[in-house]
Amino acid sequence: MLVRLGYVAMSVHLQNASPSQTMTFAQFQRLKDRDAAIRKLERIANSNLENCLRLLKHNSGHDIAFFRFSSKLIPLANHKELPGWDYILPLKDKLLALASYIKEHNMRVDFHPDHFVVLNSPGEDILKQSLKTLRMHYRLLRGMRVDPKHRCVLHVGGGYSDKEMALEQFIMNWGDVPRGIQDMIMLENDDTTFTLHETLYLGEKLAVPVVFDYHHHLTNDGSLDWREDWPRVVETWKHSALPIKMHISSPRDERDPRAHADYIDPAMFLTFLREIKGSVSQVDCMIEAKQKDEALFQLMQDMQKQNDIEIVDGASFYIK
């Protein structure tokens, strides 16, 4: 089974390469000339995209072909006071540069919007704003010439004091989600509310791939045996053109087991991989760790010490 590693949004090795430079609305308002303020937003967004290209080049140099973009590439893109701003057009050249590099190096890229993007909200305004944010991600992917299908990970949302009703609310709201946005979505089990089993209920009912987060499972109803549900996770990916995806992280400590550690516990990761070995031909593992790409490099060093691991390159290996 081939295992490919990726990491999230930023590098701890590249200097001055943040893809999440921002500008608050208060700062925007302080600029008297509205057009000049919008031009400043566009300059920040273009700088963020330039840094994304730097990150992809850094990744290519280390054989990393799997990467999650920051969802904060365009400051204030969804702000209610900027409804007519066409933020994609001024970013066209930078997006095309990313498109060319992604295609040339056959990279898998995706997004994971923040927790405020909630598709099971009973509130119309929250759902409307969530769809607006998802459309921004969709437009960015199209601007990069990346097929948006299965490129955006979401949690199910809030429990709202009745998880069964909250799951049904997701299904009701799904009818208001445009088809292109529906196709973009992957669902992930979370660490406090919706378990793997509950997330699979939606994934199977709505034909949405489920991203399994092992760490989240252990901190949220870890008494259930995830191995019984793993074949169901695999089945949700059967119509995707992409390899199955999972998230990997490790608890920071016993006092705060939900928080992500700086690095990945190799024993914890290997326990999981040895259980699923042979169930799929490839799995892409997104590292969620504070040390970003350094956590990936350290994990690859740890894998080199294992007898049942065959290293392929700087960010992938076979487990035999």
Side-chain angles (χ1 to χ4, degrees):
M1 182 178 71
L2 177 64
V3 180
R4 290 197 310 175
L5 303 180
Y7 70 99
V8 176
M10 297 181 68
S11 163
V12 300
H13 287 273
L14 284 183
Q15 299 299 310
N16 303 314
S18 171
S20 304
Q21 301 166 89
T22 193
M23 178 183 185
T24 67
F25 188 66
Q27 292 170 327
F28 179 88
Q29 285 184 304
R30 284 199 290 270
L31 297 175
K32 302 299 184 182
D33 185 328
R34 184 179 176 87
D35 286 341
I38 289 176
R39 299 292 87 76
K40 184 171 183 179
L41 287 176
E42 292 169 354
R43 287 195 299 274
I44 294 171
N46 272 299
S47 177
N48 285 339
L49 293 179
E50 287 174 1
N51 285 338
C52 283
L53 184 56
R54 289 182 60 199
L55 285 161
L56 292 187
K57 290 179 177 179
H58 165 74
N59 292 350
S60 179
H62 294 279
D63 305 315
I64 302 169
F66 184 32
F67 185 65
R68 180 193 300 168
F69 283 122
S70 167
S71 288
K72 299 177 182 178
L73 297 176
I74 311 175
L76 304 182
N78 295 329
H79 200 281
K80 62 182 180 180
E81 298 298 327
L82 295 169
W85 177 33
D86 181 4
Y87 47 80
I88 292 295
L89 185 61
L91 306 181
K92 183 178 179 180
D93 289 346
K94 297 295 188 297
L95 288 170
L96 288 176
L98 285 167
S100 177
Y101 202 84
I102 290 166
K103 182 178 180 180
E104 179 184 354
H105 295 273
N106 192 29
M107 292 181 162
R108 179 178 186 175
V109 296
D110 60 21
F111 286 103
H112 190 353
D114 291 336
H115 63 278
F116 57 78
V117 177
V118 182
L119 290 186
N120 77 333
S121 173
E124 186 177 338
D125 289 345
I126 293 175
L127 178 60
K128 184 178 178 180
Q129 185 63 27
S130 296
L131 291 176
K132 187 177 181 181
T133 300
L134 289 171
R135 278 192 287 271
M136 177 195 71
H137 288 80
Y138 182 87
R139 295 184 71 194
L140 283 169
L141 288 165
R142 292 297 297 268
M144 297 177 200
R145 303 293 190 264
V146 172
D147 182 354
K149 193 167 186 178
H150 306 151
R151 301 285 183 167
C152 203
V153 179
L154 290 184
H155 293 155
V156 174
Y160 302 108
S161 302
D162 187 336
K163 287 206 292 182
E164 287 191 15
M165 181 61 72
L167 288 169
E168 296 310 312
Q169 185 70 51
F170 191 106
I171 294 169
M172 288 178 57
N173 290 354
W174 192 248
D176 295 326
V177 179
R179 180 56 186 270
I181 303 297
Q182 288 183 357
D183 287 344
M184 187 174 68
I185 301 303
M186 300 169 278
L187 288 173
E188 176 197 359
N189 59 303
D190 67 65
D191 60 346
T192 57
T193 308
F194 291 100
T195 65
L196 174 62
H197 201 78
E198 292 161 341
T199 306
L200 278 166
Y201 168 73
L202 288 181
E204 291 168 344
K205 196 171 187 68
L206 302 175
V208 176
V210 171
V211 175
F212 179 44
D213 190 307
Y214 185 46
H215 180 189
H216 285 178
H217 172 75
L218 295 177
T219 57
N220 183 12
D221 214 0
S223 60
L224 294 176
D225 188 351
W226 65 268
R227 290 168 293 191
E228 294 181 4
D229 283 328
W230 177 252
R232 296 173 60 195
V233 173
V234 173
E235 187 70 9
T236 66
W237 286 87
K238 68 179 181 179
H239 296 306
S240 179
L242 298 168
I244 189 169
K245 174 185 176 177
M246 67 164 293
H247 291 169
I248 56 169
S249 55
S250 298
R252 181 186 298 166
D253 52 45
E254 292 182 359
R255 292 172 298 174
D256 192 4
R258 288 185 169 89
H260 292 168
D262 286 347
Y263 297 93
I264 301 299
D265 178 351
M268 178 179 170
F269 185 40
L270 283 165
T271 295
F272 173 80
L273 290 181
R274 287 166 179 152
E275 289 286 352
I276 68 166
K277 183 178 66 174
S279 62
V280 290
S281 60
Q282 179 176 333
V283 59
D284 287 350
C285 301
M286 181 60 69
I287 292 172
E288 297 183 322
K290 298 298 183 183
Q291 287 298 308
K292 306 293 185 179
D293 49 345
E294 178 59 27
L296 186 154
F297 300 148
Q298 180 59 56
L299 186 57
M300 285 301 299
Q301 290 181 32
D302 294 330
M303 293 302 102
Q304 291 174 14
K305 303 170 186 176
Q306 305 300 317
N307 293 329
D308 57 347
I309 297 295
E310 177 186 336
I311 301 298
V312 175
D313 56 30
S316 61
F317 57 87
Y318 284 105
I319 181 164
K320 299 181 284 186

